[in-house]
Amino acid sequence: MPLSFQHINHSFGSKTVLHDVSLDVADGERVGILGPSGGGKTTLLNIAAGLLRPDSGEVQSSYDRVSFVFQEYRLLPWLTAAENITAAAGCSRETALALLNALELGGEEDSYPDSLSGGMQQRVNIARALAYSSDMVLMDEPFKGLDEELRGRVIGQVDTYLDGRTLLLVTHDRRECEWLKCTKIIEFDE
Amino acid sequence: MSADKCREILHSQKLKNIAIKTAVAALWLVLWQLVCMAVNMELLVVSPAAVARRLLALGQTAEFWSDSLRSLGRITEGFLFGSVTGALLAVVCRRYAFARAFFSPAVTVIKSTPVASFIILALVWLTGQHVPVFIAFLMVLPVVYANVYQGIGEVDPKLLEMVAVYRMSRLQKVSKIYIPSILPYFMAACRTALGMAWKAGVAAEVIGVTKDSIGRKLYYSKIYLETVDLFAWTVTVIVMSLLLEKIFVWAVDRLSRKLHLTRRDK
């Protein structure tokens, strides 16, 4: 399997967030991860991204390039929306503009993050992840804060731009997994 | 709100700020004049008008410009050398624990030692022209070092994680994350350090009676009890210090905008 977690355990201090988690992900597979807040979903994504090493267990990943839609946007405040995408994804300005247009941010390419609403910053965050030529996309509650109608349209664009890449989607809303055609859904307990 | 309306509000705020600054400056001049009239002894306090007249007269001499520019050159040299060294030292000390352990006591000693001690030592070690440069350097180095060191520590770890995920190059990491994050700390340090460089540099010129310098002129003012000259040269130092700060801030601001190290819409 290109991505495999075997018997993963992880704790922060005395709080155990991942207990004996095993998951195999096939190439191009879309996996939805559901569960309550603080249930370890983000921790699992961080492990998949290589940002965190589990306390125990084995992680195997053949993915060299991974993009991440972070929950807290993580945009550079001194760069415009388009520059945030080109700098991180290493893509052309044209690609960045096409993605911004697709995510209904046309005309905001030269806006700085602090002049954009939370929902707009989140879409720049999504555009950056999609612009990066990765093998796997990790999304941590990517549609939070978007109104129902916009969310539907953004999910449609994400579906198109994922283009066969593996997806790990963390969400609270099972419908998002369905809309993004997740073939595997795992649910974390309290 | 329309762009025109925004521009109009910004323009009126700018005019208001200029008016407030002008009023404050005028108030201080009036206070100075009142003190002068109360003391009524030109040897102790000179009137603003007398200082202005003396400055006008000095401004017509080549010696005034030559001395001022040479002092400016020395202080600028010490300042630039000190700020670059301080910033580089902070980077090295953040990176290597041994360097931090090795240089920390030296920086503490530089910070705590009275400037007069350094000036006298420098007079023994160096030739006259280099003493103010060295003293300005010593004043600037610890301030820039401390601020840049703190700035590096304050770089948002979440942004560094983003850089790691997107495999941005080391050069990009430095130019897109570290430098823009540290720049405000560096600029704050430079603003403080510039004033210190002028004060200590001119003090070194006074004590060392440096040839072709403002400090030498201040020394002669004291010897010959020419209070009006003392005030005029002091005003010159203040004006040059402010000018240098404005030019430096403007230059760094332009450069950082050009290199996309800071926002270009402010």
Side-chain angles (χ1 to χ4, degrees):
Chain A
M1 282 290 171
L3 180 66
S4 169
F5 302 90
Q6 296 302 323
H7 307 293
I8 300 295
N9 291 290
H10 197 78
S11 306
F12 292 107
S14 59
K15 185 174 164 45
T16 301
V17 289
L18 292 175
H19 177 64
D20 197 26
V21 174
S22 295
L23 173 68
D24 289 321
V25 182
D27 207 16
E29 191 171 23
R30 295 183 182 183
V31 180
I33 304 166
L34 295 162
S37 297
K41 305 185 299 294
T42 301
T43 305
L44 190 69
L45 288 196
N46 283 332
I47 291 171
L51 294 174
L52 197 64
R53 288 174 73 132
D55 293 340
S56 65
E58 200 180 329
V59 183
Q60 284 183 338
S61 175
S62 61
Y63 293 126
D64 194 36
R65 293 166 70 88
V66 174
S67 45
F68 203 144
V69 178
F70 297 99
Q71 213 179 116
E72 332 80 349
Y73 321 139
R74 305 196 190 185
L75 301 176
L76 305 178
W78 41 82
L79 296 184
T80 63
E83 287 164 356
N84 261 288
I85 297 168
T86 56
C91 65
S92 67
R93 184 172 164 85
E94 285 68 36
T95 305
L97 294 188
L99 268 157
L100 288 171
N101 274 323
L103 298 176
E104 302 185 24
L105 286 170
E108 297 293 350
E109 60 271 15
D110 294 325
S111 300
Y112 287 90
D114 70 357
S115 64
L116 299 173
S117 68
M120 289 164 128
Q121 290 184 58
Q122 182 65 318
R123 278 178 280 155
V124 177
N125 185 10
I126 294 171
R128 178 175 63 189
L130 296 175
Y132 186 56
S133 59
S134 56
D135 311 306
M136 175 167 66
V137 180
L138 306 171
M139 295 186 147
D140 194 358
E141 298 190 33
F143 312 113
K144 197 171 71 176
L146 302 185
D147 66 59
E148 196 72 12
E149 228 173 272
L150 180 60
R151 181 166 63 150
R153 294 196 298 273
V154 169
I155 287 177
Q157 293 297 338
V158 170
D159 183 29
T160 306
Y161 277 94
L162 276 174
D163 196 25
R165 288 183 272 189
T166 304
L167 169 71
L168 292 194
L169 169 72
V170 162
T171 178
H172 288 289
D173 192 336
R174 186 176 285 274
R175 290 176 306 162
E176 291 178 1
C177 299
E178 288 161 12
W179 292 335
L180 271 174
K181 300 161 192 151
C182 291
T183 48
K184 190 181 280 176
I185 294 177
I186 60 166
E187 203 150 351
F188 281 27
D189 298 329
E190 195 73 58
Chain B
M1 193 186 294
S2 71
D4 282 345
K5 187 76 184 164
C6 279
R7 266 194 290 274
E8 201 178 299
I9 291 172
L10 281 173
H11 184 67
S12 70
Q13 272 177 345
K14 211 171 178 180
L15 286 178
K16 200 175 161 188
N17 283 341
I18 292 171
I20 290 172
K21 281 180 183 170
T22 310
V24 168
L27 193 65
W28 276 108
L29 280 175
V30 169
L31 268 174
W32 179 3
Q33 180 63 38
L34 288 174
V35 170
C36 175
M37 286 159 70
V39 174
N40 198 23
M41 195 185 284
E42 207 168 63
L43 187 68
L44 295 180
V45 184
V46 190
S47 73
V51 174
R53 277 195 301 273
R54 184 64 187 135
L55 269 173
L56 272 176
L58 283 171
Q60 287 163 20
T61 63
E63 197 184 357
F64 170 82
W65 293 105
S66 160
D67 290 351
S68 301
L69 290 175
R70 279 168 199 265
S71 286
L72 173 71
R74 287 185 205 104
I75 307 295
T76 308
E77 193 183 336
F79 166 74
L80 290 176
F81 193 36
S83 51
V84 171
T85 311
L88 289 178
L89 195 62
V91 173
V92 172
C93 288
R94 267 283 173 197
R95 183 77 181 79
Y96 303 104
F98 174 76
R100 187 162 57 247
F102 183 76
F103 286 112
S104 279
V107 174
T108 307
V109 166
I110 294 172
K111 264 197 299 195
S112 322
T113 306
V115 67
S117 305
F118 273 126
I119 295 172
I120 292 160
L121 271 174
L123 282 168
V124 177
W125 293 339
L126 305 165
T127 55
Q129 296 287 326
H130 296 114
V131 175
V133 179
F134 179 66
I135 294 302
F137 164 81
L138 280 185
M139 291 301 104
V140 173
L141 186 140
V143 179
V144 173
Y145 167 82
N147 269 37
V148 173
Y149 187 86
Q150 190 195 348
I152 298 171
E154 300 285 331
V155 173
D156 187 350
K158 289 187 182 300
L159 292 182
L160 295 175
E161 281 187 353
M162 187 275 290
V163 166
V165 166
Y166 286 101
R167 302 262 177 111
M168 289 166 76
S169 66
R170 187 170 289 194
L171 179 68
Q172 273 194 310
K173 190 172 166 180
V174 170
S175 65
K176 305 285 186 207
I177 308 282
Y178 275 104
I179 296 180
S181 300
I182 296 163
L183 203 59
Y185 291 87
F186 177 71
M187 291 306 288
C190 285
R191 281 196 160 116
T192 309
L194 252 176
M196 292 167 73
W198 270 102
K199 277 190 231 176
V202 170
E205 287 181 345
V206 172
I207 296 174
V209 201
T210 309
K211 198 175 164 230
D212 304 327
S213 71
I214 294 177
R216 191 185 181 104
K217 291 292 184 288
L218 284 170
Y219 177 76
Y220 287 151
S221 310
K222 178 205 141 196
I223 295 291
Y224 301 117
L225 297 175
E226 286 169 348
T227 314
V228 68
D229 273 20
L230 179 68
F231 273 68
W233 282 108
T234 305
V235 169
T236 307
V237 170
I238 293 168
V239 170
M240 292 184 87
S241 173
L242 289 174
L243 269 179
L244 186 60
E245 184 190 319
K246 294 273 179 212
I247 292 168
F248 178 76
V249 169
W250 175 83
V252 174
D253 189 49
R254 284 293 294 259
L255 187 69
S256 55
R257 280 167 190 248
K258 211 177 169 77
L259 298 175
H260 294 206
L261 302 174
T262 187
R263 292 177 60 139
R264 300 176 305 285
D265 62 339
K266 285 190 174 170

